[in-house]
Amino acid sequence: MTQNVDRETVVSRLLAADDILILCHKNPDGDTIGSGTALCLALQQLGKNAAVLCSDPIPAMYDYMPITVFDGSFRPAFVVAVDVAGIQLFGERNNIQEYAEHVNLCIDHHGSNSGYAYETLVDAGAAASAELLTTLIPEMGAKITPEIASCLYTGVATDTGCFRFSNTTAETHKAAAALIEAGADVERLNERLFESRSHARVIAERMALESLEFYYDDRCALICLTWDQIQAAGVAGAELEDLTSLPRSIEGVEVGLTLRQQKDGSFKISVRTGHDTNACNIARRLGGGGHPRAAGCEISGNPDNAKHAILEEVKKELDRADAEKAQ
Amino acid sequence: MTQNVDRETVVSRLLAADDILILCHKNPDGDTIGSGTALCLALQQLGKNAAVLCSDPIPAMYDYMPITVFDGSFRPAFVVAVDVAGIQLFGERNNIQEYAEHVNLCIDHHGSNSGYAYETLVDAGAAASAELLTTLIPEMGAKITPEIASCLYTGVATDTGCFRFSNTTAETHKAAAALIEAGADVERLNERLFESRSHARVIAERMALESLEFYYDDRCALICLTWDQIQAAGVAGAELEDLTSLPRSIEGVEVGLTLRQQKDGSFKISVRTGHDTNACNIARRLGGGGHPRAAGCEISGNPDNAKHAILEEVKKELDRADAEKAQ
Ligand SMILES: [Mn+2]
Ligand SMILES: [Mn+2]
């Protein structure tokens, strides 16, 4: 069991430590990398030896961050994890497991944090770990330099979809204001983080839009991708996952469906709904499950059968919602 | 010639006035409608008679704003324009011209404001008129109610592309924080304003992505739409204009081209470039012009000829940029 600690304790632990190793989560995002780099720079500014370790390579889009990657040149005396909600999220590479089992301190914003560290500070109200560090770093007596500000802005902006997601609070905007005043290069960062789509993403969107169909007076939009199409487009993982939000994002669409054929021929179906219908109701009747607005199931059969089966359940749920409204 | 006035003067003019008519600009956006409605609510809160007038209908997406539309039921004694940079932007309908020529006060954030009002307050550093009003309304002694906060948040968020555009400053984020604290329904607003794409927009994107081609090691991306394709898709105006930013927004693309065939068969070409090349150099050699990063020209001929002609100029500009870099 971890000890939950307050901000003052965290500050005193960090000020007392040296030869500090900072751990990020695998498949690193802007928040874990931005927070890790910012904390590392702040500790170095205070005269300490510190470096960052991640199981996976740092994505090229974050190469503007002046990150000190741990190269084994010192023996870590204090291990801090940032933005890592569970021990399984450290990954396997770069010998990270050697340190992951003895984390002295975890700084995080995930309410689901499993408490794997000796001591833990979780601010579940913070939209990003970087939001938490925006006030914590000055409390450590370190200055938010323009470099630190750009790292923290990256974390805050990426975890909130540029202040669009529902985790964005007044505190998030106050953090952004403080970081811009401290010199974050917000114009260049926004251009880099949000104005650019990867080649793979564009190819995936083209494939998705080509297959887009509308049903039930355009209240249902459906994307259906066969295994052959996915292979021919050469897209995978994140690009395909991102597509699942596309059908529901179209004006007037209450139910968005994404059907992706697996190698074995079966279809993985993602169901997203608006405020009127329940995605879980739809998925459950086909043996799946999930949340009220995002759920999923699997169906075997050819594309037409799969479409037919899921559309029938969508129709029932739309009818149920209409009946409820009419009452 | 207008008199430029400070915030205190604006406050005293508004507090002294009654039977106030607030004018918005034509083709109303979130800022002019949000600012106009917020100012109207604040004046009503102070016990005054006030209403809003716009030449064009209020778009349905803003129907959550409790706007008092001017119905001629009082004789305006004081006319205020919000977010209107020039007299030609008032439009023609709803008898707005009757009032547009005698505007007592203009509150705006466009540095280009032409000074058509008797007195003008322009804060060119504000990202939106709503940002300016976020501090001005409390200075009037009115409270930012949740309704006013939602109107002003709409203005700030839409004029900045949800805090993404380069006009976003620390003050913009401070305004957002204040508005969320005052009760702006930010989660619902962001969903409504930014999560939804129109049907026409999706159709236009599909058409554009289907025609997407890459040249010169993917440093140039090109969309070419024939008149027949545009007619078949049934899209026009804004949706087509928005597409011009698509090719350049792809990772690694330095020159983005959009070719749209006109009814007479000729092609309207939009050229967008990154930091290395000059769009105007490219367009000028084909008789066009524009800015360093956004320019345009027109070419007659069939699609292949038009593509060939513009791509040749792109090649020259890429070669020039490479030679410059090599020096
Ligand atoms: Mn995070
Ligand atoms: Mn504006």
Side-chain angles (χ1 to χ4, degrees):
Chain A
M1 270 299 287
T2 191
Q3 185 80 31
N4 287 305
V5 291
D6 61 13
R7 302 170 65 100
E8 276 167 36
T9 307
V10 168
V11 168
S12 74
R13 293 287 184 269
L14 290 170
L15 292 184
D18 205 346
D19 291 331
I20 300 160
L21 182 65
I22 299 163
L23 304 183
C24 296
H25 64 68
K26 66 180 177 183
N27 301 321
D29 60 11
D31 192 27
T32 198
I33 294 295
S35 296
T37 306
L39 181 59
C40 188
L41 289 168
L43 292 166
Q44 289 170 344
Q45 192 191 121
L46 297 171
K48 293 171 189 301
N49 191 24
V52 177
L53 183 62
C54 181
S55 164
D56 296 312
I58 314 298
M61 70 182 301
Y62 302 125
D63 64 10
Y64 55 88
M65 295 197 204
I67 182 168
T68 305
V69 175
F70 181 63
D71 59 1
S73 67
F74 67 90
R75 195 186 163 86
F78 192 82
V79 178
V80 194
V82 276
D83 200 47
V84 187
I87 199 161
Q88 77 287 2
L89 298 173
F90 283 110
E92 307 288 338
R93 283 185 284 263
N94 291 332
N95 291 322
I96 201 164
Q97 284 299 330
E98 189 179 325
Y99 307 102
E101 279 163 31
H102 306 282
V103 176
N104 297 89
L105 179 65
C106 168
I107 301 174
D108 191 20
H109 70 118
H110 297 94
S112 60
N113 190 290
S114 68
Y116 57 84
Y118 298 133
E119 295 187 316
T120 305
L121 172 68
V122 173
D123 179 355
S129 297
E131 180 182 323
L132 197 171
L133 285 167
T134 299
T135 45
L136 196 77
I137 286 175
E139 283 165 23
M140 286 164 57
K143 189 178 169 338
I144 305 252
T145 61
E147 289 71 35
I148 292 177
S150 286
C151 292
L152 293 176
Y153 181 86
T154 300
V156 172
T158 54
D159 260 20
T160 59
C162 206
F163 310 97
R164 208 159 35 85
F165 301 158
S166 61
N167 58 350
T168 307
T169 68
E171 297 309 314
T172 315
H173 282 288
K174 285 181 196 170
L179 294 170
I180 294 172
E181 282 176 341
D185 191 358
V186 62
E187 182 174 347
R188 207 187 44 132
L189 290 171
N190 283 346
E191 192 174 330
R192 181 149 194 155
L193 299 169
F194 304 110
E195 304 273 292
S196 153
R197 305 199 254 190
S198 73
H199 219 276
R201 165 92 211 193
V202 171
I203 302 302
E205 277 192 22
R206 166 155 68 186
M207 173 177 68
L209 289 176
E210 278 171 356
S211 88
L212 185 69
E213 295 173 346
F214 293 92
Y215 295 92
Y216 309 132
D217 297 328
D218 299 350
R219 292 166 75 197
C220 175
L222 177 151
I223 287 171
C224 181
L225 306 174
T226 64
W227 176 254
D228 289 347
Q229 285 169 328
I230 295 170
Q231 294 306 106
V235 290
E239 283 81 25
L240 283 178
E241 286 303 328
D242 285 352
L243 293 179
T244 58
S245 64
L246 197 158
R248 235 292 293 159
S249 76
I250 302 166
E251 208 170 28
V253 171
E254 172 64 24
V255 181
L257 302 172
T258 310
L259 285 71
R260 283 151 44 190
Q261 196 174 33
Q262 313 290 106
K263 199 174 180 179
D264 68 5
S266 70
F267 282 85
K268 213 172 150 177
I269 303 185
S270 143
V271 184
R272 301 284 182 94
T273 56
H275 294 281
D276 295 342
T277 51
N278 187 312
C280 196
N281 283 356
I282 297 168
R284 205 158 34 197
R285 286 198 227 108
L286 293 165
H291 304 278
R293 300 191 58 190
C297 58
E298 276 197 46
I299 308 185
S300 55
N302 66 41
D304 284 342
N305 290 344
K307 275 192 213 178
H308 187 78
I310 186 77
L311 283 168
E312 216 162 84
E313 299 308 325
V314 169
K315 179 83 173 71
K316 285 183 203 158
E317 180 62 15
L318 285 170
D319 288 347
R320 191 198 59 73
D322 288 345
E324 202 176 276
K325 267 202 169 165
Q327 276 179 353
Chain B
M1 270 300 287
T2 191
Q3 185 80 30
N4 287 306
V5 291
D6 61 14
R7 301 169 67 101
E8 277 168 36
T9 308
V10 168
V11 168
S12 74
R13 293 287 185 270
L14 290 169
L15 292 183
D18 205 346
D19 292 330
I20 301 160
L21 182 66
I22 299 163
L23 304 182
C24 296
H25 64 68
K26 65 180 177 182
N27 303 319
D29 59 13
D31 193 28
T32 199
I33 294 295
S35 296
T37 306
L39 181 60
C40 187
L41 289 167
L43 292 165
Q44 290 170 343
Q45 190 190 123
L46 297 172
K48 295 173 189 298
N49 191 24
V52 178
L53 183 62
C54 182
S55 163
D56 297 312
I58 314 298
M61 70 183 298
Y62 302 125
D63 63 12
Y64 54 88
M65 294 195 204
I67 181 167
T68 305
V69 175
F70 181 65
D71 60 1
S73 66
F74 66 90
R75 194 188 164 85
F78 193 81
V79 178
V80 194
V82 274
D83 200 48
V84 188
I87 199 159
Q88 78 287 0
L89 298 173
F90 283 110
E92 307 288 338
R93 284 184 284 260
N94 291 332
N95 290 324
I96 200 165
Q97 284 298 330
E98 190 180 322
Y99 307 102
E101 278 163 31
H102 306 283
V103 176
N104 297 88
L105 179 65
C106 169
I107 301 174
D108 190 21
H109 71 118
H110 296 96
S112 60
N113 189 292
S114 69
Y116 56 85
Y118 297 134
E119 294 186 317
T120 305
L121 172 67
V122 173
D123 179 355
S129 296
E131 179 182 324
L132 197 170
L133 285 167
T134 299
T135 45
L136 196 77
I137 286 175
E139 284 165 21
M140 286 163 58
K143 190 177 170 332
I144 306 253
T145 61
E147 290 70 37
I148 292 177
S150 286
C151 293
L152 293 178
Y153 181 85
T154 300
V156 172
T158 54
D159 261 20
T160 59
C162 206
F163 311 97
R164 209 160 33 84
F165 301 159
S166 60
N167 58 349
T168 308
T169 67
E171 298 309 315
T172 315
H173 282 287
K174 285 182 197 171
L179 295 169
I180 294 172
E181 283 176 342
D185 190 358
V186 63
E187 182 174 348
R188 206 185 46 130
L189 290 170
N190 283 346
E191 193 173 329
R192 182 151 193 152
L193 299 169
F194 303 111
E195 304 273 291
S196 155
R197 305 199 256 189
S198 73
H199 219 277
R201 165 90 211 196
V202 171
I203 302 301
E205 277 191 23
R206 165 156 67 186
M207 172 177 69
L209 289 177
E210 278 171 357
S211 88
L212 185 67
E213 295 173 345
F214 292 92
Y215 294 92
Y216 310 132
D217 297 327
D218 299 349
R219 293 165 74 197
C220 175
L222 177 151
I223 287 172
C224 181
L225 306 174
T226 65
W227 176 254
D228 289 347
Q229 285 170 327
I230 295 170
Q231 294 307 106
V235 290
E239 283 81 26
L240 282 179
E241 285 302 328
D242 285 351
L243 293 180
T244 57
S245 64
L246 196 157
R248 235 292 292 159
S249 76
I250 302 167
E251 209 171 27
V253 170
E254 171 65 26
V255 181
L257 302 172
T258 309
L259 285 72
R260 284 153 44 191
Q261 195 174 35
Q262 312 291 106
K263 200 174 178 177
D264 68 5
S266 69
F267 282 86
K268 213 172 150 176
I269 302 183
S270 142
V271 184
R272 299 285 181 94
T273 56
H275 293 282
D276 295 343
T277 51
N278 187 313
C280 196
N281 282 354
I282 297 168
R284 205 158 33 197
R285 286 199 227 107
L286 293 164
H291 305 279
R293 299 192 58 189
C297 58
E298 277 197 46
I299 307 186
S300 54
N302 65 43
D304 284 341
N305 290 344
K307 276 191 213 177
H308 187 79
I310 186 77
L311 283 169
E312 214 162 85
E313 299 308 326
V314 169
K315 180 84 173 70
K316 284 183 203 159
E317 181 61 14
L318 284 170
D319 288 347
R320 191 198 59 71
D322 288 344
E324 204 176 274
K325 267 201 170 167
Q327 276 180 352

